[in-house]
Structures are given as structure tokens and as C-alpha cells.
Amino acid sequence: MASLRLGDIAPDFTAETSQGNIHFHEWLGDSWGVLFSHPADFTPVCTTELGTVANYFPEFEKRNTKVLALSVDGLASHKEWIKDIEETQNVTLQYPIIADENRAVATLYDMIHPNANETFTVRSVFIIGPDKKIKLMLTYPASTGRNFDELLRVIDSLQLTANYSVATPANWKDGQDVVIAPAIKDEDIPAKFPKGFTKIKYYLRTTPQPNK
Ligand code: BEZ
């Protein structure tokens, strides 16, 4: 299968998870989704990542975003590991972990990079829109825990783009000015962006964040 690219439909699958069987597209429904892989159960960095996502769960919920983890170990292993995560990270895990023992989902999403490791997944992240299209793909090495503030930031940016004709500049943070899409003509800006705009160059026009 050709590798996945932004804009592709996220491959659908059925999988066993720590919260029962999931049919991915049906499970996503109209929500946004984050699918993220873990090299293996009972590994230190993954344990902190899963705890962090449990702590951030309300933030994902606020953004109408479901989270789904994946690790290439079995269900019995996941259930034991979840006890450790809850104990050491002081959380309750509210979201499912796929038990991808046969690596079916990992293969579908190209999460195993054999030159990095033949059996374990790298740390992949996919953000999927309500249209089931892939909006972001990130690949981290096994030894680097991901920055979940950055994932929330990207979701905020994607949702602004989906709801308003704006993009977000470098290092943008929620609440800061955004960039008006080049397709919008100057004369159409007042109706679309009543908070006003600053024209720095004909192609670089900023406006206060529309949903604040
Ligand atoms: C970890 O999750 O802690 C980890 C996994 C594979 C290699 C290094 C760290």
C-alpha cells in the first residue's frame, strides 16, 4: 500500500481495544480524532505519555476530539499496564488502547519503520477531521515523548481554519492574531472579519482570532 498523505481518508479498521472492539470510522462519528502509537507496553516514556493524555482528556473533549492509543501488545498486557499508568501517573485512563498484537493497524498506518526498529512502532500521531481525512501526521522517535500541548495547539489551528478562512502564523498560541487566507479579497474582509485587519503586505494580512 502506498504511504499515507495529508488529505487521504484515514484507513478504517476494526480492532480490539482496552474498552472493547472498535470500528474506527463509526467510533469517530462526527468528532475529530487523534490516533497515536506506542512502541510497547511497560515502557517508561509511553507510560508518561498515556498519563499526560489522561490529564488532558477534558481539553480534547472541549475540542470535540476523541483520542485512541495503539500498542502492539495484547489485551491482557494492556490491562496490567493500565493499572501501572493509573498508579504512577495518578490518573484514570478514560480512552481506549488498541491491542494490535498482529500489527494490522500499525501496518495500515505505516507505524513500523524497520530501519528504526523491526518490531515496535515509532511514535506516530495522526489527527483526523470529522470528514475522516488525515489533517496532520507526526513521527517521533521512540526515545522522545511527544508534546501534547503542541497537538492541542494544532487542533485549535485546524478547527479555526475549518470554521473561518484563516491560518495561524509561526509559534501561534490560542488568543493571538491569525492570518487571513490569501483567497479572501481585501474588499470582502470587513464582512467576514468585523474585528478589523492589518495589512502588512498584500499577501500578509492579520486579524484578531475570530472566535475569541
Ligand atoms: C519508552 O516508551 O520509554 C521507550 C520505548 C522504546 C525505546 C525507548 C523508550
Side-chain angles (χ1 to χ4, degrees):
M1 188 190 148
S3 54
L4 294 172
R5 294 190 173 158
L6 297 192
D8 290 354
I9 295 288
D12 200 11
F13 56 81
T14 302
E16 193 176 42
T17 81
S18 54
Q19 296 184 355
N21 281 1
I22 277 179
H23 189 152
F24 187 47
H25 282 191
E26 195 179 290
W27 178 81
L28 282 171
D30 294 329
S31 301
W32 290 71
V34 175
L35 172 66
F36 60 121
S37 62
H38 296 274
D41 291 6
F42 302 104
T43 47
V45 176
C46 299
T47 300
T48 63
E49 286 194 326
L50 290 164
T52 299
V53 173
N55 272 320
Y56 281 27
F57 191 77
E59 292 300 320
F60 286 106
E61 276 192 318
K62 258 192 239 168
R63 292 162 174 82
N64 186 30
T65 301
K66 291 188 166 180
V67 285
L68 179 57
L70 174 148
S71 174
V72 294
D73 289 302
L75 207 52
S77 165
H78 281 6
K79 291 201 166 155
E80 285 308 305
W81 186 31
I82 287 169
K83 287 185 204 161
D84 281 6
I85 297 165
E86 294 188 336
E87 179 199 322
T88 63
Q89 308 302 303
N90 202 20
V91 294
T92 301
L93 218 71
Q94 318 90 324
Y95 59 91
I97 308 178
I98 297 173
D100 197 33
E101 230 173 341
N102 62 6
R103 294 163 172 67
V105 179
T107 304
L108 199 57
Y109 278 81
D110 202 18
M111 291 166 167
I112 296 176
H113 296 195
N115 290 331
N117 189 294
E118 295 241 344
T119 44
F120 298 144
T121 65
V122 289
R123 290 185 200 283
S124 299
V125 188
F126 294 85
I127 296 180
I128 295 153
D131 56 3
K132 310 289 181 294
K133 288 186 180 166
I134 298 172
K135 307 294 183 190
L136 165 135
M137 297 191 296
L138 277 174
T139 308
Y140 279 60
S143 51
T144 305
R146 284 160 283 206
N147 184 330
F148 292 94
D149 289 317
E150 170 62 1
L151 289 185
L152 290 173
R153 192 188 77 92
V154 174
I155 293 168
D156 285 340
S157 170
L158 287 166
Q159 293 185 346
L160 274 174
T161 302
N163 296 326
Y164 307 90
S165 300
V166 296
T168 56
N171 290 345
W172 171 84
K173 287 201 183 88
D174 190 39
Q176 294 179 342
D177 286 0
V178 297
V179 167
I180 298 170
I184 307 293
K185 293 192 183 112
D186 278 356
E187 55 266 35
D188 295 331
I189 289 178
K192 253 181 129 35
F193 302 102
K195 291 177 184 170
F197 75 108
T198 306
K199 188 169 179 176
I200 299 159
K201 290 278 178 192
Y202 73 89
Y203 56 86
L204 177 54
R205 300 160 305 170
T206 60
T207 188
Q209 186 173 323
N211 62 345
K212 287 282 168 182

